[in-house]
Amino acid sequence: MGTKLIFPYPPPAEIPKPVFKKGKDRPDNNTGLWFIHDPAIYKDDISGKYYIYCTGAGCHRSNDLIHWERVGKVVDVPPEEASGWTGSKDIWAPDIVKVNNEYRLYCSNSKWGVRQSCIFLAVSDNPEGPFLPRGCVLKTTDEMPVNAIDANIVTDHKTGEMYMLYGSFWGGCHMLLLDGKTGLAAEKGIGTCVARRPEWMSAAIEGPYIIYNPGTDYYYLFVSYGSLKSDYNVRVARSRNITGPYTDFNGIDMTDISDNDNSTGLLIHCGYRWNDGKAYMAPGHNSVLHDTDGSWYMVFHIREHNFTGKPEPSKMQIRKIYWSDDGWPLLSAQPYSGETEQNIPESELYGLYERITLKPELPQGITCSVPMKLGKNGYYECCSIQGKWEYKDNRLHIKYGKHTETAHVYVTWDAERHCPAIAISGISKSGLAFMAKKTGDI
């Protein structure tokens, strides 16, 4: 008797896409995963619940990363020190960290397109708040080379020192040392630059996020390139040291602005389209969760394909992260729906697939799928390309010409075709990530 695979159940039905109302960026009522923008993921060590904190100081909770309910707004307004500085009461992109019994929420306060910004700290004894402002961590002006938004708090696993990663456009992303006791800045100035982009690319980099992987002993820097309204895409680099330097798959430093072809940083997600279903654009401003069971997840916002210039609401997606043999993150081909790691027999792989190769482009638009086949006797085909494949222990190895690729094989729920599927996430020897899903038998 063959192995019976355990496929995930269909995810909850999605709430219809809300319509923008004149004069309002987002409605006040519960709209599912819509309008969850700049999501920061957190798992509470006491309750075991998962939380998302997002722009607008909104909070959502879940027991399983699949079913979410809205908690509400957890920070009322920025402190007067912040809003008096920025002239705004908007709260953007919160990030949370727990220190002893204190939950610390780092919030951005700014207006669109300026550097007169502030990151302030609000604290609570409960992950659901309310969070009360403690003080400003960093203020910036239009005369400074950095922008005080998009905070992420990361701890050095060797020293216990805490840093605030932040930044957007202009002078890039920086890290500032924090006082562990107060949570406020422990040093003057703007900190250390860890990533930036050329001015002719609008210096478009933001939403930085760092997480340490004890399995590889690397810190991983995730950043969003491009515009959140059109060509957002997620890049990754890594370092042995928390403050860098962070280098990509090809050893390029993320602070090197001589990027003439938009290739710096390992591209792990961008706008995409499968044969069925909707096309999506601008995935970005991600956070990462290393769960207590060892699983990894990336959380981000994304938009349906719309290059008309008209407003397009964002919504949240969560995808599992798998790891390549040489320690690079590979994103699942589909949103998370409760898939279980299991041994997949080789016979289940034979079939027809759709494949999306994540290749850096200028600009980084929508990448469409192409046909792929895993035939019997190790025959590989992708459009006119012919090669060979081998498989062992959920690892797929593909060879064609002088090219080699390795990939992880897993089960998933095909959101476009509304059915369970075998899926693949991999990377080539030259550093191009790809994802594929099975669509038929042969």
Side-chain angles (χ1 to χ4, degrees):
M1 181 179 294
T3 302
K4 184 176 179 59
L5 297 180
I6 302 172
F7 286 99
Y9 291 105
E14 187 176 272
I15 293 175
K17 181 169 68 172
V19 177
F20 275 95
K21 295 181 180 180
K22 187 175 182 180
K24 295 189 72 175
D25 288 332
R26 60 182 63 83
D28 296 325
N29 60 321
N30 189 356
T31 51
L33 302 184
W34 295 101
F35 296 106
I36 298 180
H37 194 79
D38 306 328
I41 184 71
Y42 173 74
K43 186 176 184 180
D44 186 43
D45 60 353
I46 296 177
S47 67
K49 293 183 181 296
Y50 301 93
Y51 289 92
I52 289 290
Y53 303 87
C54 61
T55 283
C59 176
H60 297 71
R61 67 173 169 239
S62 172
N63 292 318
D64 56 9
L65 294 173
I66 301 172
H67 301 84
W68 291 90
E69 60 179 332
R70 188 170 185 265
V71 174
K73 191 172 183 178
V74 293
V75 182
D76 187 20
V77 293
E80 178 60 35
E81 181 186 1
S83 59
W85 178 262
T86 65
S88 169
K89 293 188 177 181
D90 290 341
I91 297 176
W92 298 347
D95 188 51
I96 191 168
V97 65
K98 187 180 182 186
V99 178
N100 298 322
N101 294 320
E102 183 175 73
Y103 296 87
R104 297 176 177 177
L105 197 68
Y106 289 78
C107 305
S108 302
N109 174 222
S110 187
K111 291 188 289 189
W112 184 261
V114 302
R115 279 169 281 175
Q116 187 79 16
S117 305
C118 177
I119 295 172
F120 69 90
L121 169 61
V123 300
S124 176
D125 60 1
N126 190 307
E128 299 183 10
F131 288 83
L132 302 178
R134 170 171 291 170
C136 293
V137 184
L138 178 67
K139 297 177 183 177
T140 54
T141 69
D142 286 330
E143 286 70 43
M144 296 174 69
V146 294
N147 192 21
I149 66 170
D150 295 354
N152 166 237
I153 309 306
V154 58
T155 300
D156 190 319
H157 77 282
K158 294 179 181 178
T159 67
E161 291 179 321
M162 298 182 69
Y163 292 83
M164 183 179 76
L165 177 67
Y166 74 95
S168 171
F169 286 65
W170 295 291
C173 302
H174 289 65
M175 295 185 71
L176 188 69
L177 183 66
L178 297 179
D179 183 315
K181 292 182 178 180
T182 66
L184 302 176
E187 62 177 325
K188 296 181 179 180
I190 61 176
T192 302
C193 182
V194 294
R196 57 180 181 164
R197 297 191 74 204
E199 290 186 10
W200 67 269
M201 292 181 180
S202 302
I205 184 172
E206 61 184 9
Y209 196 94
I210 287 176
I211 194 164
Y212 175 72
N213 184 345
T216 64
D217 193 29
Y218 276 108
Y219 294 92
Y220 291 84
L221 169 65
F222 295 74
V223 291
S224 295
Y225 278 9
S227 168
L228 62 87
K229 295 183 178 180
S230 58
D231 60 349
Y232 240 14
N233 59 99
V234 180
R235 308 289 178 112
V236 180
R238 66 187 186 185
S239 175
R240 295 292 186 191
N241 301 306
I242 193 169
T243 55
Y246 285 87
T247 55
D248 68 8
F249 186 92
N250 296 306
I252 305 300
D253 192 318
M254 293 293 282
T255 62
D256 186 348
I257 57 174
S258 60
D259 182 6
N260 295 318
D261 55 3
N262 196 31
S263 63
T264 299
L266 173 63
L267 175 64
I268 63 167
H269 204 21
C270 64
Y272 67 93
R273 180 164 195 164
W274 300 104
N275 283 336
D276 302 285
K278 299 181 183 298
Y280 288 93
M281 68 180 191
H285 200 117
N286 73 280
S287 58
V288 177
L289 172 69
H290 185 197
D291 209 346
T292 49
D293 67 354
S295 299
W296 290 80
Y297 302 89
M298 189 173 90
V299 185
F300 54 94
H301 68 248
I302 196 167
R303 288 179 164 91
E304 292 181 3
H305 180 202
N306 177 3
F307 288 154
T308 65
K310 296 179 180 179
E312 182 65 40
S314 60
K315 68 176 179 179
M316 182 176 74
Q317 274 193 11
I318 298 177
R319 299 196 181 207
K320 288 197 78 169
I321 292 175
Y322 303 99
W323 293 91
S324 71
D325 293 339
D326 52 356
W328 289 99
L330 307 171
L331 205 60
S332 171
Q334 292 288 299
Y336 178 67
S337 56
E339 48 263 38
T340 303
E341 281 291 286
Q342 57 199 289
N343 293 322
I344 300 175
E346 181 176 310
S347 58
E348 295 285 349
L349 272 63
Y350 306 146
L352 305 175
Y353 291 76
E354 293 179 55
R355 169 178 167 142
I356 292 176
T357 301
L358 302 170
K359 183 179 180 180
E361 296 178 337
L362 281 173
Q364 196 69 51
I366 303 294
T367 301
C368 297
S369 64
V370 297
M372 187 183 93
K373 179 193 292 186
L374 295 181
K376 296 181 180 180
N377 300 318
Y379 174 72
Y380 173 80
E381 182 179 290
C382 185
C383 295
S384 60
I385 294 172
Q386 296 179 337
K388 291 288 185 179
W389 64 275
E390 297 177 347
Y391 178 72
K392 183 179 180 181
D393 298 331
N394 288 2
R395 287 300 205 197
L396 179 68
H397 302 272
I398 300 171
K399 295 182 180 181
Y400 50 91
K402 295 182 179 180
H403 302 276
T404 60
E405 299 172 337
T406 59
H408 184 70
V409 181
Y410 50 96
V411 298
T412 190
W413 180 264
D414 189 328
E416 289 77 28
R417 300 172 63 245
H418 309 290
C419 63
I422 301 292
I424 300 167
S425 294
I427 191 169
S428 71
K429 189 176 181 180
S430 59
L432 289 182
F434 69 93
M435 53 187 181
K437 61 181 183 179
K438 186 177 178 181
T439 56
D441 296 321
I442 52 174

